[in-house]
Amino acid sequence: MTITEKKYSRIQFISNGHGRGTMDEISELLKKRREKIDSLKADGIDLYPNDARVGETTAAISERYGQMTPEVLEMVTERFTVAGRLMAVRDFGKGAFISIQDRKGRLQAFLRKNQVGERAFALFKRLDIGDIVWLAGRVFKTRTGELTIDVEENGLRLLSKSLRSLPEKWHGLTDIEIRYRQRHLDLIVNPEVRKVFHQRSRIISLIRRFMEERDFLEVETPMMQPKAGGAVARPFKTFHNALGINLFLRIAPELYLKRLITGGLERVFEINRNFRNEGISTFHNPEFTMMEFYQAYATYEDLMKMTEELFVFVAQNLFDSLRFNYQGKEIDLTPPWRRLTVRDAIVEIGGVERTVVDDGVRMADHARKLGIEVKRSDPPGKVLMAIFDETVEKNLVQPTFITHYPVDVSPLSRRNAEDPTLTDRFELYVCGKEIANAFSELNDPVDQRGRFEMQLREREAGDLEAHEMDEDYIGALECGMPPTAGEGIGIDRLVMLFTDSASIRDVILFPLLRTRDE
RNA sequence: GGGUCGUUAGCUCAGUCCGGUAGAGCAGCGGACUUUUAAUCCGUUGGUCGCGGGUCCGAUUCCCGCACGACCCA
Protein backbone atom coordinates (compact mmCIF):
# COMPACT_ATOMS: atom_id res chain seq x y z
CA MET A 1 0.00 0.00 0.00
CA THR A 2 1.48 3.32 -0.99
CA ILE A 3 1.42 6.39 1.18
CA THR A 4 -1.27 8.03 -0.92
CA GLU A 5 -3.50 4.99 -0.79
CA LYS A 6 -3.15 4.85 2.94
CA LYS A 7 -3.82 8.52 3.28
CA TYR A 8 -7.34 8.17 2.01
CA SER A 9 -8.23 4.79 3.36
CA ARG A 10 -11.19 6.28 5.20
CA ILE A 11 -12.68 7.43 1.93
CA GLN A 12 -11.70 4.33 0.03
CA PHE A 13 -13.69 2.06 2.27
CA ILE A 14 -16.81 3.71 1.07
CA SER A 15 -15.67 4.90 -2.33
CA ASN A 16 -13.99 1.86 -3.76
CA GLY A 17 -14.55 -1.42 -2.07
CA HIS A 18 -14.96 -3.44 -5.23
CA GLY A 19 -12.16 -5.91 -5.08
CA ARG A 20 -9.70 -3.38 -3.76
CA GLY A 21 -7.56 -4.45 -0.86
CA THR A 22 -7.51 -7.73 0.96
CA MET A 23 -10.22 -8.91 3.30
CA ASP A 24 -8.45 -7.82 6.45
CA GLU A 25 -8.25 -4.26 5.09
CA ILE A 26 -11.94 -3.86 4.42
CA SER A 27 -14.57 -2.97 6.92
CA GLU A 28 -16.50 -5.51 8.94
CA LEU A 29 -19.72 -4.30 7.35
CA LEU A 30 -18.52 -4.96 3.84
CA LYS A 31 -17.31 -8.39 4.83
CA LYS A 32 -20.72 -9.28 6.26
CA ARG A 33 -22.47 -8.16 3.09
CA ARG A 34 -20.17 -10.27 0.95
CA GLU A 35 -20.93 -13.30 3.06
CA LYS A 36 -24.62 -12.57 2.67
CA ILE A 37 -24.25 -12.34 -1.08
CA ASP A 38 -22.49 -15.66 -1.24
CA SER A 39 -25.27 -17.33 0.72
CA LEU A 40 -27.99 -15.73 -1.45
CA LYS A 41 -26.21 -16.88 -4.58
CA ALA A 42 -25.83 -20.35 -3.12
CA ASP A 43 -29.59 -20.47 -2.72
CA GLY A 44 -30.04 -19.61 -6.38
CA ILE A 45 -31.27 -16.06 -5.84
CA ASP A 46 -30.44 -13.68 -8.68
CA LEU A 47 -28.93 -10.58 -7.08
CA TYR A 48 -29.36 -8.42 -10.18
CA PRO A 49 -32.40 -9.53 -12.19
CA ASN A 50 -33.76 -7.18 -14.87
CA ASP A 51 -37.17 -8.60 -15.68
CA ALA A 52 -39.22 -6.72 -13.09
CA ARG A 53 -42.02 -4.45 -14.31
CA VAL A 54 -43.05 -1.51 -12.19
CA GLY A 55 -46.58 -0.19 -12.43
CA GLU A 56 -46.69 2.81 -10.16
CA THR A 57 -44.61 5.36 -8.36
CA THR A 58 -44.93 5.70 -4.61
CA ALA A 59 -46.26 9.23 -5.04
CA ALA A 60 -48.96 8.17 -7.51
CA ILE A 61 -50.30 5.66 -4.99
CA SER A 62 -50.12 8.16 -2.12
CA GLU A 63 -51.92 10.80 -4.14
CA ARG A 64 -54.72 8.48 -5.15
CA TYR A 65 -55.35 6.75 -1.85
CA GLY A 66 -53.68 8.84 0.84
CA GLN A 67 -56.85 10.75 1.69
CA MET A 68 -59.23 7.78 1.79
CA THR A 69 -60.51 6.32 5.02
CA PRO A 70 -59.48 2.80 6.04
CA GLU A 71 -63.03 1.60 5.41
CA VAL A 72 -63.11 2.91 1.85
CA LEU A 73 -59.64 1.50 1.19
CA GLU A 74 -60.85 -1.98 2.16
CA MET A 75 -63.01 -1.94 -0.92
CA VAL A 76 -60.07 -1.16 -3.20
CA THR A 77 -59.06 -4.48 -4.67
CA GLU A 78 -56.54 -3.15 -7.18
CA ARG A 79 -53.05 -4.62 -7.05
CA PHE A 80 -50.01 -2.39 -7.34
CA THR A 81 -46.36 -2.96 -8.17
CA VAL A 82 -43.68 -0.55 -7.03
CA ALA A 83 -39.90 -0.61 -6.80
CA GLY A 84 -37.34 1.41 -4.95
CA ARG A 85 -34.57 1.50 -2.42
CA LEU A 86 -35.18 -0.10 0.95
CA MET A 87 -34.73 2.77 3.39
CA ALA A 88 -36.10 1.50 6.69
CA VAL A 89 -37.02 -1.78 8.32
CA ARG A 90 -39.11 -2.21 11.46
CA ASP A 91 -39.09 -5.89 12.15
CA PHE A 92 -41.64 -7.60 14.46
CA GLY A 93 -40.58 -11.17 14.04
CA LYS A 94 -43.42 -12.62 12.00
CA GLY A 95 -44.29 -9.28 10.40
CA ALA A 96 -42.43 -6.16 9.45
CA PHE A 97 -42.86 -2.65 8.17
CA ILE A 98 -40.47 -1.45 5.50
CA SER A 99 -40.14 1.86 3.67
CA ILE A 100 -39.08 2.08 0.08
CA GLN A 101 -37.99 5.18 -1.77
CA ASP A 102 -38.35 5.82 -5.48
CA ARG A 103 -37.85 8.93 -7.58
CA LYS A 104 -41.10 10.45 -6.35
CA GLY A 105 -40.99 9.73 -2.64
CA ARG A 106 -41.44 7.04 -0.04
CA LEU A 107 -44.07 4.46 0.71
CA GLN A 108 -44.48 2.03 3.55
CA ALA A 109 -45.22 -1.66 3.08
CA PHE A 110 -46.24 -4.36 5.53
CA LEU A 111 -44.91 -7.88 5.19
CA ARG A 112 -46.74 -10.64 7.01
CA LYS A 113 -45.13 -14.03 7.16
CA ASN A 114 -48.39 -15.92 6.79
CA GLN A 115 -49.33 -13.84 3.73
CA VAL A 116 -46.12 -13.37 1.74
CA GLY A 117 -45.12 -16.98 2.34
CA GLU A 118 -42.08 -18.67 3.83
CA ARG A 119 -39.82 -18.12 0.85
CA ALA A 120 -40.45 -14.39 0.41
CA PHE A 121 -40.30 -13.84 4.15
CA ALA A 122 -36.97 -15.64 4.38
CA LEU A 123 -35.70 -13.42 1.56
CA PHE A 124 -36.86 -10.34 3.46
CA LYS A 125 -34.91 -11.43 6.52
CA ARG A 126 -31.73 -11.41 4.46
CA LEU A 127 -32.26 -7.98 2.87
CA ASP A 128 -30.27 -4.94 3.89
CA ILE A 129 -31.18 -1.30 4.03
CA GLY A 130 -30.01 0.11 0.73
CA ASP A 131 -31.11 -2.84 -1.41
CA ILE A 132 -33.36 -2.18 -4.40
CA VAL A 133 -36.57 -4.19 -4.08
CA TRP A 134 -39.83 -4.80 -5.90
CA LEU A 135 -43.16 -5.08 -4.11
CA ALA A 136 -46.65 -6.13 -5.11
CA GLY A 137 -49.85 -5.93 -3.14
CA ARG A 138 -52.95 -3.98 -2.19
CA VAL A 139 -53.24 -0.78 -0.19
CA PHE A 140 -54.58 -0.33 3.33
CA LYS A 141 -54.20 2.06 6.22
CA THR A 142 -52.53 1.19 9.47
CA ARG A 143 -53.82 2.02 12.92
CA THR A 144 -51.82 5.24 12.80
CA GLY A 145 -53.41 6.16 9.49
CA GLU A 146 -50.44 5.62 7.20
CA LEU A 147 -51.10 4.36 3.69
CA THR A 148 -49.32 1.04 3.36
CA ILE A 149 -48.84 -1.69 0.78
CA ASP A 150 -50.01 -5.02 2.15
CA VAL A 151 -47.51 -7.24 0.36
CA GLU A 152 -49.09 -10.25 -1.36
CA GLU A 153 -47.84 -13.82 -1.61
CA ASN A 154 -44.38 -13.77 -3.18
CA GLY A 155 -44.86 -10.02 -3.60
CA LEU A 156 -41.26 -9.22 -2.68
CA ARG A 157 -38.25 -9.44 -4.98
CA LEU A 158 -34.66 -8.33 -4.69
CA LEU A 159 -33.74 -6.26 -7.75
CA SER A 160 -30.27 -5.09 -6.80
CA LYS A 161 -28.07 -5.92 -3.86
CA SER A 162 -26.30 -3.11 -2.01
CA LEU A 163 -22.86 -3.84 -0.62
CA ARG A 164 -22.49 -0.63 1.33
CA SER A 165 -24.32 0.60 4.35
CA LEU A 166 -26.12 3.88 3.81
CA PRO A 167 -25.43 6.95 5.92
CA GLU A 168 -27.31 7.15 9.17
CA LYS A 169 -31.08 7.41 8.93
CA TRP A 170 -31.56 10.25 11.38
CA HIS A 171 -28.70 12.68 10.78
CA GLY A 172 -28.23 11.65 7.16
CA LEU A 173 -25.03 12.58 5.39
CA THR A 174 -23.60 15.93 6.44
CA ASP A 175 -19.91 15.60 5.59
CA ILE A 176 -19.78 18.14 2.79
CA GLU A 177 -16.82 16.55 1.11
CA ILE A 178 -18.49 13.13 0.87
CA ARG A 179 -21.70 14.83 -0.23
CA TYR A 180 -19.94 16.38 -3.23
CA ARG A 181 -17.59 13.53 -4.03
CA GLN A 182 -20.27 10.86 -3.70
CA ARG A 183 -23.33 12.72 -4.80
CA HIS A 184 -25.27 9.46 -5.18
CA LEU A 185 -25.24 9.03 -1.40
CA ASP A 186 -26.25 12.64 -0.93
CA LEU A 187 -29.19 12.17 -3.29
CA ILE A 188 -30.30 8.93 -1.64
CA VAL A 189 -30.43 10.25 1.89
CA ASN A 190 -31.00 14.01 1.60
CA PRO A 191 -34.44 14.81 0.16
CA GLU A 192 -33.76 18.56 0.15
CA VAL A 193 -30.83 17.95 -2.20
CA ARG A 194 -33.09 16.07 -4.58
CA LYS A 195 -35.52 18.96 -4.36
CA VAL A 196 -32.88 21.51 -5.38
CA PHE A 197 -32.02 19.56 -8.52
CA HIS A 198 -35.66 19.07 -9.39
CA GLN A 199 -36.08 22.81 -9.08
CA ARG A 200 -33.00 23.43 -11.17
CA SER A 201 -34.43 21.33 -13.97
CA ARG A 202 -37.76 23.08 -13.68
CA ILE A 203 -36.18 26.54 -13.78
CA ILE A 204 -34.24 25.70 -16.93
CA SER A 205 -37.34 24.21 -18.48
CA LEU A 206 -39.30 27.40 -17.69
CA ILE A 207 -36.57 29.57 -19.19
CA ARG A 208 -36.62 27.45 -22.32
CA ARG A 209 -40.38 27.77 -22.58
CA PHE A 210 -40.18 31.55 -22.07
CA MET A 211 -37.63 31.88 -24.86
CA GLU A 212 -39.48 29.61 -27.26
CA GLU A 213 -42.71 31.53 -26.68
CA ARG A 214 -40.83 34.61 -27.90
CA ASP A 215 -39.76 32.79 -31.06
CA PHE A 216 -36.12 32.30 -30.06
CA LEU A 217 -34.32 29.38 -31.69
CA GLU A 218 -32.25 27.16 -29.44
CA VAL A 219 -28.81 26.49 -30.91
CA GLU A 220 -25.53 24.87 -29.96
CA THR A 221 -22.20 26.50 -30.75
CA PRO A 222 -18.64 25.22 -30.24
CA MET A 223 -17.38 24.43 -26.78
CA MET A 224 -13.88 24.06 -28.26
CA GLN A 225 -12.68 27.19 -29.93
CA PRO A 226 -9.41 28.17 -31.63
CA LYS A 227 -9.71 31.52 -29.85
CA ALA A 228 -11.37 31.94 -26.49
CA GLY A 229 -13.42 35.07 -27.10
CA GLY A 230 -16.62 36.72 -26.04
CA ALA A 231 -15.67 37.48 -22.46
CA VAL A 232 -12.88 38.76 -20.31
CA ALA A 233 -11.49 35.63 -18.62
CA ARG A 234 -8.67 33.12 -18.75
CA PRO A 235 -9.42 29.91 -20.69
CA PHE A 236 -8.55 26.23 -20.36
CA LYS A 237 -6.28 25.06 -23.12
CA THR A 238 -6.38 21.75 -24.94
CA PHE A 239 -4.95 20.17 -28.09
CA HIS A 240 -6.45 18.37 -31.05
CA ASN A 241 -4.12 15.57 -32.13
CA ALA A 242 -5.32 14.94 -35.68
CA LEU A 243 -5.45 18.59 -36.65
CA GLY A 244 -2.40 19.43 -34.59
CA ILE A 245 -3.94 22.64 -33.29
CA ASN A 246 -4.41 24.26 -29.93
CA LEU A 247 -7.99 24.72 -28.83
CA PHE A 248 -9.59 26.46 -25.89
CA LEU A 249 -12.65 25.48 -23.94
CA ARG A 250 -15.01 28.33 -24.49
CA ILE A 251 -15.31 31.13 -21.97
CA ALA A 252 -18.47 32.33 -23.75
CA PRO A 253 -20.52 31.48 -26.85
CA GLU A 254 -21.02 35.16 -27.73
CA LEU A 255 -19.04 35.55 -30.94
CA TYR A 256 -20.59 32.43 -32.47
CA LEU A 257 -24.11 33.39 -31.53
CA LYS A 258 -23.63 36.78 -33.14
CA ARG A 259 -22.41 35.09 -36.30
CA LEU A 260 -25.80 33.36 -36.32
CA ILE A 261 -27.49 36.74 -36.04
CA THR A 262 -25.48 37.88 -39.04
CA GLY A 263 -26.59 34.64 -40.68
CA GLY A 264 -30.18 35.83 -40.38
CA LEU A 265 -31.50 33.67 -37.54
CA GLU A 266 -32.41 36.93 -35.76
CA ARG A 267 -33.38 35.37 -32.40
CA VAL A 268 -31.18 32.67 -30.90
CA PHE A 269 -30.40 31.32 -27.45
CA GLU A 270 -28.08 28.72 -26.01
CA ILE A 271 -28.10 27.15 -22.56
CA ASN A 272 -24.80 25.45 -22.03
CA ARG A 273 -21.53 25.31 -20.18
CA ASN A 274 -18.75 27.90 -20.12
CA PHE A 275 -15.30 27.22 -18.73
CA ARG A 276 -13.16 29.79 -17.00
CA ASN A 277 -9.75 29.07 -15.59
CA GLU A 278 -10.23 30.99 -12.39
CA GLY A 279 -10.52 30.50 -8.67
CA ILE A 280 -13.25 28.48 -7.02
CA SER A 281 -15.60 30.03 -4.49
CA THR A 282 -19.16 29.77 -3.29
CA PHE A 283 -20.11 31.74 -6.42
CA HIS A 284 -17.59 30.36 -8.93
CA ASN A 285 -17.20 26.91 -10.42
CA PRO A 286 -14.70 26.53 -13.29
CA GLU A 287 -17.45 25.14 -15.48
CA PHE A 288 -20.78 26.83 -15.13
CA THR A 289 -24.01 27.06 -17.05
CA MET A 290 -24.97 30.19 -18.89
CA MET A 291 -27.87 31.15 -21.04
CA GLU A 292 -26.93 33.60 -23.77
CA PHE A 293 -29.47 35.01 -26.16
CA TYR A 294 -29.42 37.52 -28.99
CA GLN A 295 -32.29 39.42 -30.51
CA ALA A 296 -31.99 41.42 -33.71
CA TYR A 297 -33.68 44.82 -33.83
CA ALA A 298 -33.70 45.10 -30.04
CA THR A 299 -31.74 47.31 -27.67
CA TYR A 300 -30.32 46.77 -24.20
CA GLU A 301 -33.35 48.66 -22.87
CA ASP A 302 -35.66 46.08 -24.44
CA LEU A 303 -33.64 43.39 -22.72
CA MET A 304 -34.03 45.00 -19.30
CA LYS A 305 -37.76 44.69 -19.72
CA MET A 306 -37.47 41.15 -21.03
CA THR A 307 -35.22 40.17 -18.12
CA GLU A 308 -37.82 41.39 -15.67
CA GLU A 309 -40.45 39.40 -17.50
CA LEU A 310 -38.31 36.27 -17.51
CA PHE A 311 -37.64 36.41 -13.76
CA VAL A 312 -41.29 37.11 -13.07
CA PHE A 313 -42.32 34.16 -15.26
CA VAL A 314 -39.96 31.78 -13.46
CA ALA A 315 -40.87 33.03 -9.97
CA GLN A 316 -44.60 32.90 -10.63
CA ASN A 317 -44.40 29.33 -11.87
CA LEU A 318 -42.03 28.24 -9.14
CA PHE A 319 -43.41 30.04 -6.07
CA ASP A 320 -46.66 31.56 -7.27
CA SER A 321 -45.18 34.76 -5.85
CA LEU A 322 -42.70 37.50 -6.68
CA ARG A 323 -41.33 37.56 -3.16
CA PHE A 324 -39.08 34.92 -1.69
CA ASN A 325 -36.23 34.59 0.77
CA TYR A 326 -32.60 34.23 -0.07
CA GLN A 327 -30.29 33.51 2.88
CA GLY A 328 -32.52 35.40 5.27
CA LYS A 329 -33.19 38.36 2.99
CA GLU A 330 -36.53 38.95 1.33
CA ILE A 331 -36.19 39.52 -2.38
CA ASP A 332 -38.96 41.28 -4.26
CA LEU A 333 -39.00 40.80 -8.01
CA THR A 334 -41.92 43.14 -8.66
CA PRO A 335 -40.99 45.26 -11.68
CA PRO A 336 -39.84 47.77 -12.59
CA TRP A 337 -36.47 47.16 -10.97
CA ARG A 338 -34.19 49.96 -9.93
CA ARG A 339 -31.93 51.33 -12.67
CA LEU A 340 -28.72 53.18 -11.90
CA THR A 341 -25.71 54.17 -13.94
CA VAL A 342 -22.33 52.93 -12.75
CA ARG A 343 -21.33 56.46 -11.73
CA ASP A 344 -24.56 57.20 -9.91
CA ALA A 345 -24.30 53.90 -8.09
CA ILE A 346 -20.76 54.66 -6.92
CA VAL A 347 -21.92 58.07 -5.66
CA GLU A 348 -25.30 57.09 -4.18
CA ILE A 349 -24.56 53.63 -2.90
CA GLY A 350 -20.76 53.55 -2.68
CA GLY A 351 -20.65 56.93 -0.94
CA VAL A 352 -17.87 58.27 -3.16
CA GLU A 353 -17.92 61.99 -4.01
CA ARG A 354 -18.99 62.80 -7.53
CA THR A 355 -16.00 65.06 -8.03
CA VAL A 356 -13.78 62.01 -7.43
CA VAL A 357 -15.69 59.88 -9.91
CA ASP A 358 -15.41 62.56 -12.60
CA ASP A 359 -11.64 63.06 -12.24
CA GLY A 360 -9.29 60.34 -13.51
CA VAL A 361 -6.39 61.22 -11.23
CA ARG A 362 -8.46 61.58 -8.05
CA MET A 363 -10.23 58.36 -8.95
CA ALA A 364 -6.97 56.40 -9.14
CA ASP A 365 -5.93 57.86 -5.78
CA HIS A 366 -9.25 56.89 -4.28
CA ALA A 367 -8.94 53.37 -5.65
CA ARG A 368 -5.53 52.97 -4.03
CA LYS A 369 -7.02 54.20 -0.75
CA LEU A 370 -9.52 51.37 -1.00
CA GLY A 371 -6.65 48.95 -1.35
CA ILE A 372 -7.03 48.43 -5.08
CA GLU A 373 -3.84 47.92 -7.04
CA VAL A 374 -3.84 50.45 -9.90
CA LYS A 375 -1.34 50.19 -12.74
CA ARG A 376 -0.35 53.17 -14.87
CA SER A 377 -1.57 51.30 -17.93
CA ASP A 378 -5.03 50.73 -16.49
CA PRO A 379 -7.65 52.66 -18.45
CA PRO A 380 -9.93 54.92 -16.36
CA GLY A 381 -12.97 52.74 -16.98
CA LYS A 382 -11.23 49.78 -15.43
CA VAL A 383 -10.37 51.79 -12.33
CA LEU A 384 -13.96 52.99 -12.12
CA MET A 385 -15.25 49.42 -12.21
CA ALA A 386 -12.77 48.34 -9.56
CA ILE A 387 -14.20 51.05 -7.29
CA PHE A 388 -17.69 49.88 -8.17
CA ASP A 389 -16.85 46.28 -7.27
CA GLU A 390 -15.36 47.41 -3.99
CA THR A 391 -18.01 49.86 -2.83
CA VAL A 392 -21.29 49.05 -4.55
CA GLU A 393 -21.67 45.42 -5.60
CA LYS A 394 -22.29 43.82 -2.22
CA ASN A 395 -24.93 46.44 -1.36
CA LEU A 396 -27.18 45.68 -4.32
CA VAL A 397 -29.61 43.33 -2.60
CA GLN A 398 -32.87 43.92 -4.45
CA PRO A 399 -32.73 43.37 -8.22
CA THR A 400 -30.96 46.33 -9.77
CA PHE A 401 -29.85 47.15 -13.30
CA ILE A 402 -26.52 48.94 -13.44
CA THR A 403 -26.08 50.74 -16.76
CA HIS A 404 -23.63 52.91 -18.74
CA TYR A 405 -20.50 50.82 -18.44
CA PRO A 406 -17.24 52.40 -19.63
CA VAL A 407 -16.15 51.44 -23.13
CA ASP A 408 -12.73 50.35 -21.73
CA VAL A 409 -14.26 47.33 -20.04
CA SER A 410 -16.84 46.56 -22.74
CA PRO A 411 -14.97 45.55 -25.90
CA LEU A 412 -18.05 44.07 -27.60
CA SER A 413 -20.71 46.64 -26.64
CA ARG A 414 -22.20 49.42 -28.71
CA ARG A 415 -21.18 52.95 -27.77
CA ASN A 416 -23.74 55.18 -26.13
CA ALA A 417 -25.05 57.75 -28.61
CA GLU A 418 -24.65 60.68 -26.21
CA ASP A 419 -21.34 59.74 -24.58
CA PRO A 420 -18.99 57.64 -26.72
CA THR A 421 -16.83 56.75 -23.67
CA LEU A 422 -19.79 54.74 -22.37
CA THR A 423 -21.70 51.76 -23.75
CA ASP A 424 -25.33 50.69 -24.00
CA ARG A 425 -24.83 47.95 -21.47
CA PHE A 426 -26.29 46.74 -18.18
CA GLU A 427 -25.59 44.18 -15.56
CA LEU A 428 -28.21 42.77 -13.24
CA TYR A 429 -27.37 42.42 -9.56
CA VAL A 430 -29.33 40.54 -6.95
CA CYS A 431 -28.12 39.85 -3.41
CA GLY A 432 -24.77 41.44 -4.12
CA LYS A 433 -24.03 39.16 -7.05
CA GLU A 434 -23.93 39.66 -10.79
CA ILE A 435 -26.62 37.50 -12.36
CA ALA A 436 -26.78 38.87 -15.91
CA ASN A 437 -24.77 40.96 -18.34
CA ALA A 438 -26.27 42.46 -21.48
CA PHE A 439 -25.71 45.08 -24.10
CA SER A 440 -26.64 46.46 -27.44
CA GLU A 441 -24.11 44.76 -29.65
CA LEU A 442 -21.28 46.56 -31.38
CA ASN A 443 -21.98 45.86 -35.07
CA ASP A 444 -19.57 48.38 -36.60
CA PRO A 445 -16.58 46.30 -37.80
CA VAL A 446 -14.25 49.30 -37.84
CA ASP A 447 -15.00 50.21 -34.23
CA GLN A 448 -14.76 46.51 -33.30
CA ARG A 449 -11.27 46.28 -34.77
CA GLY A 450 -10.26 49.35 -32.77
CA ARG A 451 -11.63 47.78 -29.58
CA PHE A 452 -9.72 44.57 -30.15
CA GLU A 453 -6.55 46.60 -30.72
CA MET A 454 -7.14 48.36 -27.41
CA GLN A 455 -7.51 44.95 -25.74
CA LEU A 456 -4.28 43.78 -27.35
CA ARG A 457 -2.44 46.72 -25.78
CA GLU A 458 -3.78 45.70 -22.37
CA ARG A 459 -2.73 42.12 -23.00
CA GLU A 460 0.76 43.38 -23.81
CA ALA A 461 0.67 45.35 -20.56
CA GLY A 462 0.17 42.05 -18.74
CA ASP A 463 -3.59 41.57 -18.56
CA LEU A 464 -4.04 37.86 -19.29
CA GLU A 465 -7.80 38.25 -19.40
CA ALA A 466 -7.85 40.86 -22.15
CA HIS A 467 -9.66 39.93 -25.35
CA GLU A 468 -7.75 38.64 -28.37
CA MET A 469 -7.98 39.96 -31.92
CA ASP A 470 -10.52 37.87 -33.83
CA GLU A 471 -10.29 38.50 -37.59
CA ASP A 472 -12.92 35.86 -38.41
CA TYR A 473 -15.42 37.61 -36.22
CA ILE A 474 -14.65 41.00 -37.74
CA GLY A 475 -15.09 39.37 -41.13
CA ALA A 476 -18.58 38.28 -40.09
CA LEU A 477 -19.41 41.80 -38.90
CA GLU A 478 -18.20 43.14 -42.24
CA CYS A 479 -21.06 41.24 -43.86
CA GLY A 480 -23.44 43.43 -41.88
CA MET A 481 -24.95 42.35 -38.59
CA PRO A 482 -28.37 43.79 -37.86
CA PRO A 483 -28.68 46.03 -34.83
CA THR A 484 -28.91 43.50 -32.01
CA ALA A 485 -29.00 43.22 -28.26
CA GLY A 486 -27.66 40.22 -26.38
CA GLU A 487 -27.56 38.95 -22.82
CA GLY A 488 -25.95 36.28 -20.72
CA ILE A 489 -27.64 34.96 -17.58
CA GLY A 490 -25.72 32.88 -15.08
CA ILE A 491 -27.98 29.89 -14.61
CA ASP A 492 -26.22 28.47 -11.55
CA ARG A 493 -26.50 31.76 -9.70
CA LEU A 494 -30.11 32.10 -10.77
CA VAL A 495 -30.82 28.63 -9.42
CA MET A 496 -28.98 29.49 -6.19
CA LEU A 497 -31.24 32.49 -5.77
CA PHE A 498 -34.45 30.56 -6.40
CA THR A 499 -33.45 27.59 -4.24
CA ASP A 500 -31.98 29.64 -1.39
CA SER A 501 -28.60 27.91 -1.81
CA ALA A 502 -25.55 29.45 -0.15
CA SER A 503 -22.98 27.81 -2.40
CA ILE A 504 -22.83 27.21 -6.14
CA ARG A 505 -21.75 23.66 -5.30
CA ASP A 506 -25.23 23.05 -3.94
CA VAL A 507 -26.78 23.63 -7.36
CA ILE A 508 -24.16 21.77 -9.45
CA LEU A 509 -24.43 18.00 -9.21
CA PHE A 510 -20.72 17.37 -9.51
CA PRO A 511 -18.78 20.50 -8.59
CA LEU A 512 -15.07 20.49 -9.35
CA LEU A 513 -12.96 19.32 -6.43
CA ARG A 514 -9.29 18.59 -6.21
CA THR A 515 -8.52 15.04 -7.36
CA ARG A 516 -6.58 12.63 -5.31
CA ASP A 517 -3.42 11.07 -6.77
CA GLU A 518 -3.54 7.33 -7.22
C1' G B 1 -1.98 33.17 -2.67
C1' G B 2 -3.19 34.65 2.87
C1' G B 3 -6.12 33.80 7.40
C1' U B 4 -9.48 30.91 10.54
C1' C B 5 -11.66 26.27 11.48
C1' G B 6 -12.22 21.04 10.60
C1' U B 7 -10.48 15.63 9.64
C1' U B 8 -11.81 10.13 15.84
C1' A B 9 -16.15 3.24 14.08
C1' G B 10 -20.07 2.57 7.79
C1' C B 11 -22.88 7.45 9.42
C1' U B 12 -23.72 11.54 13.29
C1' C B 13 -20.74 13.10 17.21
C1' A B 14 -18.06 13.15 22.46
C1' G B 15 -13.04 12.80 24.38
C1' U B 16 -7.72 15.96 23.37
C1' C B 17 -7.23 22.12 27.04
C1' C B 18 -3.99 19.32 31.75
C1' G B 19 0.21 13.07 27.25
C1' G B 20 -0.64 6.88 29.91
C1' U B 21 -2.98 4.00 22.44
C1' A B 22 -10.61 5.67 22.83
C1' G B 23 -16.63 6.37 24.09
C1' A B 24 -22.09 7.20 22.76
C1' G B 25 -26.29 6.94 19.36
C1' C B 26 -27.69 4.92 14.68
C1' A B 27 -26.24 1.08 11.27
C1' G B 28 -24.24 -4.15 11.65
C1' C B 29 -24.37 -9.12 14.20
C1' G B 30 -27.30 -12.78 17.81
C1' G B 31 -32.10 -13.17 20.34
C1' A B 32 -37.71 -11.66 21.55
C1' C B 33 -41.90 -9.42 19.18
C1' U B 34 -47.74 -9.54 13.25
C1' U B 35 -50.14 -2.07 13.04
C1' U B 36 -44.64 0.18 13.58
C1' U B 37 -42.69 4.71 11.78
C1' A B 38 -35.74 7.71 14.87
C1' A B 39 -40.34 0.98 16.60
C1' U B 40 -39.17 -1.28 21.37
C1' C B 41 -36.45 -4.74 24.70
C1' C B 42 -31.90 -8.03 25.89
C1' G B 43 -26.95 -9.16 24.33
C1' U B 44 -22.78 -7.95 21.09
C1' U B 45 -18.81 -7.02 17.02
C1' G B 46 -16.30 -3.03 14.99
C1' G B 47 -11.04 2.06 15.37
C1' U B 48 -2.80 1.99 12.59
C1' C B 49 -7.95 8.80 16.19
C1' G B 50 -6.33 12.15 7.84
C1' C B 51 -0.76 11.37 6.49
C1' G B 52 4.54 12.18 7.72
C1' G B 53 8.18 13.90 11.09
C1' G B 54 9.76 15.90 16.03
C1' U B 55 9.70 16.10 21.56
C1' C B 56 8.96 12.33 25.32
C1' C B 57 9.88 6.30 28.93
C1' G B 58 5.15 6.93 26.35
C1' A B 59 1.55 11.05 21.35
C1' U B 60 -5.34 10.60 19.09
C1' U B 61 -3.76 14.59 22.66
C1' C B 62 2.00 18.94 22.53
C1' C B 63 5.25 21.07 18.27
C1' C B 64 6.46 21.26 12.84
C1' G B 65 5.26 19.94 7.87
C1' C B 66 1.83 17.90 4.27
C1' A B 67 -3.03 16.37 2.14
C1' C B 68 -8.16 17.18 1.66
C1' G B 69 -12.41 20.15 2.87
C1' A B 70 -15.36 24.50 4.73
C1' C B 71 -15.70 29.71 5.47
C1' C B 72 -13.53 34.62 5.03
C1' C B 73 -10.02 37.76 2.44
C1' A B 74 -7.06 38.65 -2.27
Side-chain angles (χ1 to χ4, degrees), chain A residues 10-24:
Chain A
R10 187 174 72 92
I11 300 295
Q12 286 201 345
F13 279 6
I14 43 177
S15 71
N16 190 354
H18 303 285
R20 196 192 197 95
T22 54
M23 281 302 256
D24 55 71

Side-chain angles (χ1 to χ4, degrees), chain A residues 19 65 99 168 177 404 460 502:
Chain A
Y65 301 105
S99 294
E168 199 219 11
E177 190 175 352
H404 294 74
E460 279 156 20

